[in-house]
Amino acid sequence: MSAEAHNEHAVDHHDHAHGDEHDHGSFKTYMIGFLLSVVLTAIPFWLVMTETLAPQTTGLIITVFAVVQIVVHMIFFLHMNHRSEGGWNMLALIFTIVIVVIAVAGSVWVMYHLNVNMMPTHDMQTMG
């Protein structure tokens, strides 16, 4: 094999794209994601430790921050967006979210109605 033919078939080992068009992130995007994650963890932690708000409000804020943190992780660390995998990643994510919301809402609904419809313990003592 001649040197020219060898050079034509040579593989560039410094090419990190590996032939795909996905965004692999940069140091800057990873640091932005990391800093957002730290802030989104520190604020709810501070709210719980200082007890500055009512427990229900604190729980709601923690839930909102958790959802935002999930989105931050998906964008900055998993590199998910509407362009990745031709949109199939986003479609799979939406389907997963719908299934989780149905399962959680159904579970909460069942537990609430079980709690409401169960006979209170003080009424059981008067039955006997």
Side-chain angles (χ1 to χ4, degrees):
M1 177 179 261
S2 69
E4 291 174 12
H6 180 70
N7 287 337
E8 289 178 13
H9 295 289
V11 176
D12 184 13
H13 295 287
H14 300 291
D15 182 23
H16 293 289
H18 303 291
D20 58 1
E21 300 173 6
H22 301 297
D23 179 26
H24 291 290
S26 64
F27 180 75
K28 180 181 175 183
T29 58
Y30 283 120
M31 286 308 296
I32 290 171
F34 174 72
L35 292 174
L36 285 172
S37 297
V38 168
V39 169
L40 291 170
T41 301
I43 292 173
F45 183 78
W46 175 79
L47 286 173
V48 169
M49 294 305 291
T50 60
E51 298 178 3
T52 56
L53 300 173
Q56 293 83 7
T57 307
T58 302
L60 181 64
I61 291 173
I62 289 172
T63 303
V64 169
F65 273 72
V67 170
V68 172
Q69 190 162 117
I70 289 170
V71 173
V72 165
H73 282 255
M74 288 188 315
I75 292 171
F76 289 99
F77 300 121
L78 299 177
H79 311 295
M80 288 183 69
N81 56 33
H82 64 281
R83 295 171 297 176
S84 63
E85 301 291 333
W88 285 106
N89 277 347
M90 195 57 62
L91 188 63
L93 173 66
I94 292 169
F95 177 73
T96 303
I97 289 171
V98 167
I99 296 299
V100 168
V101 166
I102 289 171
V104 170
S107 298
V108 169
W109 180 72
V110 167
M111 289 186 290
Y112 171 78
H113 283 284
L114 282 173
N115 185 43
V116 168
N117 295 323
M118 294 297 287
M119 190 180 313
T121 55
H122 63 83
D123 288 344
M124 289 176 58
Q125 294 172 353
T126 60
M127 290 178 62

